[in-house]
Amino acid sequence: MNNLNRRAMLVSLNISVWQGHFKDNSVTQEITTTKQAENDAGSWWTYLIPPRDLKPIVNAADDARNLMYKLTLPWNDNGVRILPSKMFLDFNKQMREKLNKYDEAVEEFIKQYPQIIEHAKKRLGKLPAKRIPEISEIKNKFGYSLNIYPLPDAGDFRAEVDESVVEEIKNKITSSITTASEKAINKIWQQLYELVEKVENTLSDPNKKFKNSLITNLSEFCALMPKLDITEDDNLEKIRQEVMDKIAKMYPDTLREAKVIRQNTAKAARELKEKIKDYLL
């Protein structure tokens, strides 16, 4: 884990999307009373505007979050992720594209918002519409923050604490970094294992149909692995090369048409899966 803070950084992404609905306890009470049901028999959610009006924004936000998980590794449970230094340029370019699409979707929604409000008031009938934000408020319901931080370094720890506990604190920092790094690399092994296992399960059945993505997803992930590998693990690179040579370079149409090649590729996937299993935590 030496010099890990030079090979990676931490990144967080927070995106706000107004949901446009709320749980209405008064309507729930009215329905349960009318239907002579107990209070916990159901709940009523009022959709102030149709979900389709927010769908472009929701989709854009989901695309950005998915990219975050694709190009980074786990660090802790509060949304902060590890961004390998080798991945920074790709991450920055692709994330900016995703966030620009989010901004465009928000701008289009705000442009249409006066008509959306007018339609919503008619659409809701006698349901309470008092929670619909005014035009002046709606822009504040959306936004995002993308932050990058350095990885902690025990050697840089400086604080006004008793000298007797400094070493203990440094050891804890080092231990937490090591644990998080092992978890991050295990995530790469785990994802590789799942992709190879899917190939094996699919190709082992000679009659099972599959999409090209069965192979392209594996190939794309193998291409990302050298940039994701913050520990420069020789074993990971060796297995990656085997997966590329024996599975990921295969043409999907060839696997569909040539039974022997399909069988051999399934066998190779099975053997590689067992090798990968040895490295999983």
Side-chain angles (χ1 to χ4, degrees), residues 23-276:
K23 185 178 179 180
D24 195 322
N25 293 326
S26 63
V27 176
T28 298
Q29 182 64 49
E30 180 182 339
I31 293 173
T32 53
T33 299
T34 302
K35 298 298 183 180
Q36 298 179 347
E38 295 184 7
N39 291 335
D40 60 357
S43 298
W44 175 268
W45 288 82
T46 295
Y47 285 79
L48 297 170
I49 65 174
R52 65 176 178 271
D53 290 335
L54 286 166
K55 191 172 182 179
I57 301 176
V58 173
N59 289 346
D62 287 345
D63 285 346
R65 294 189 188 102
N66 290 337
L67 181 69
M68 179 79 165
Y69 283 101
K70 178 182 178 181
L71 301 185
T72 63
L73 298 165
W75 173 255
N76 57 28
D77 296 330
N78 64 3
V80 177
R81 308 271 298 177
I82 299 175
L83 174 60
S85 299
K86 292 179 181 178
M87 189 63 75
F88 177 78
L89 292 178
D90 290 337
F91 175 86
N92 191 52
K93 178 178 182 294
Q94 294 182 49
M95 183 57 74
R96 287 301 168 194
E97 291 173 354
K98 298 295 184 185
L99 294 178
N100 285 341
K101 288 183 179 179
Y102 170 86
D103 285 337
E104 290 169 3
V106 171
E107 289 176 10
E108 182 61 27
F109 176 79
I110 292 173
K111 187 188 302 182
Q112 301 296 327
Y113 194 62
Q115 291 79 18
I116 291 173
I117 291 181
E118 192 63 31
H119 176 255
K121 291 177 180 178
K122 296 176 182 178
R123 171 178 161 273
L124 292 174
K126 295 183 179 180
L127 289 171
K130 60 183 179 182
R131 295 200 184 190
I132 298 178
E134 297 296 331
I135 296 175
S136 59
E137 303 171 324
I138 192 60
K139 190 171 184 179
N140 295 329
K141 300 293 183 181
F142 304 96
Y144 61 82
S145 62
L146 179 65
N147 299 300
I148 294 178
Y149 320 91
L151 271 168
D153 184 351
D156 285 340
F157 176 76
R158 297 179 181 86
E160 294 183 0
V161 295
D162 193 288
E163 192 66 30
S164 62
V165 300
V166 169
E167 196 62 30
E168 179 184 353
I169 294 173
K170 286 185 176 181
N171 288 338
K172 287 183 177 179
I173 293 174
T174 299
S175 177
S176 66
I177 293 172
T178 300
T179 300
S181 300
E182 290 173 349
K183 179 181 177 182
I185 296 304
N186 187 65
K187 181 64 177 178
I188 299 177
W189 282 112
Q190 184 65 45
Q191 190 166 346
L192 183 63
Y193 178 89
E194 291 171 359
L195 289 168
V196 171
E197 182 180 47
K198 188 173 183 180
V199 171
E200 181 212 350
N201 292 340
T202 302
L203 299 186
S204 294
D205 181 349
N207 299 316
K208 191 168 186 177
K209 296 181 179 180
F210 61 90
K211 296 180 179 179
N212 290 353
S213 58
L214 177 73
I215 301 300
T216 58
N217 286 346
L218 177 60
S219 178
E220 289 172 3
F221 182 67
C222 284
L224 284 177
M225 284 174 60
K227 292 183 178 181
L228 288 173
D229 180 13
I230 57 175
T231 62
E232 299 178 350
D233 187 332
D234 291 338
N235 291 321
L236 189 61
E237 176 59 19
K238 180 181 177 181
I239 296 294
R240 183 190 79 88
Q241 287 288 353
E242 280 195 67
V243 172
M244 285 293 298
D245 293 340
K246 297 179 180 179
I247 307 174
K249 288 184 178 179
M250 302 301 296
Y251 291 104
D253 284 343
T254 301
L255 295 172
R256 294 187 183 100
E257 297 166 5
K259 292 184 179 181
V260 174
I261 295 178
R262 179 175 181 140
Q263 291 171 354
N264 290 339
T265 304
K267 181 175 180 292
R270 182 162 54 253
E271 292 171 350
L272 281 165
K273 187 186 73 171
E274 292 305 312
K275 287 185 179 181
I276 296 169

